[in-house]
Amino acid sequence: MTITNIISAIGNNNSVYPLLLRDCGIEVPTKVALTYQQNKEDKEVARLATRERLVDEYTVSAVWLGGIPLLEKINSKILKNRGFNSDISSKLLKEESCQGLDYNIKKFKSLAPEAVKDLEFLKANQAKYKKLLGGKILAETAIPIALMGFVIPKLIFAWTASTKRELAKKRQTAIQNDTFTPQMKKMGDFARKNIAFKGGLSSLAEMSTVQKMALTDGGYAVGRVATARKKNEAYDIAFKMAGMMFLNFVFPKQLAKFLDKTTGKAANTSLNLDIKMLDDKEFMSAIKNKKLALPDVKTGEQLLDFVDKNPDSLFVKYANKYKKVAMLENCVRDPRRYVDLKDLKAFRDNIAQISENALKSGDVTKFMKKAKVLKGVNILANVGISSFLLAYGLPKAQFAFRKIVTGSDLEPGIVD
């Protein structure tokens, strides 16, 4: 994988890659260190809080980043075993002027007969399909919410309570035997060993993996507040979870738009395309030789009509490559897939803008290289800023909030 492909992956805020980088690579290790630092005035609380944070964060990340995609695969197999093709977009159940179940069956009957068979089977078994779809949605949201919001914290809290009881017994024994200092050393060894342990239905069904993660994050937040051991801990957790949801799912997208708009304006170009496209030699050649032949249309519906009538065009090739439409091997648009007309039209307009500005610059290669560098800098800046706020800014704000609410720097769920 090239550097450009890596930057493209971490710059896609609709995928799990930037979340994976920020969550496991930067945010969690920093939060663990900050948790220990915040509670260090009480060594016992510091060790237990650090252990809780370490185990909690990585266990939740495993469920959050791995569990949802795994459930999606399992549910797709269940649908397939029941005779349904999981590639069918449930948005097609709602008929629109230029796409829908009945519309696509009629339009693609002779163009894509095998794909249409899948649509016809679904149409004949809609009640069964909707029931399976409801179960699919429930499984992909309720199971992660239950694990992250209720099961994991309860297990960790029980572990902490058990450890505190053991430590209390050791302290009592030490006092009775008048060997307090040696016993405290053993308690420290015991705690260090424990820390080393770290080791509408169609709209819901069409949610991306990241959108499901955002939804489950909301349920996860509710669960964590509900399972808090004390009122002050509930306040502490609510503040943290609200910040996490904003910085994971809202802020990066808004920051990306701001950076692309600001630097794009300065460079007189559109930076709304994928960085891989800005580095595409065929794309640059087509701009130089004026062979893009973009459709001159005003609406998304007209653009979709162009796609169906010009499947061999360069625009359709790129629309397929960057998942704006899905084309079958016989160069027919897949009737099982729903097309976001607004997104497709924006894609076309962004290509038109950058190609026009590249030609005006007089040196297409130099212009595209500059655009690629700016896009790459924006992506890395976005990841860096978001990661800093998540890993350092939010915990510091949480600790300040905790001090105001509780009057103490210590972890409110652990301190007696």
Side-chain angles (χ1 to χ4, degrees), residues 380-397:
L380 295 176
N382 194 332
V383 171
I385 294 169
S386 299
S387 298
F388 172 79
L389 291 176
L390 271 165
Y392 187 83
L394 179 58
K396 284 293 185 180

Side-chain angles (χ1 to χ4, degrees), residues 56 59-60 62-64 67 71 139 141-155 220 224:
D56 186 23
T59 306
V60 165
V63 175
W64 194 52
L71 286 168
T141 54
I143 293 175
I145 287 172
L147 287 173
M148 296 189 300
F150 297 91
V151 177
I152 292 173
K154 285 292 186 182
L155 290 174
Y220 163 40
R224 284 307 173 97

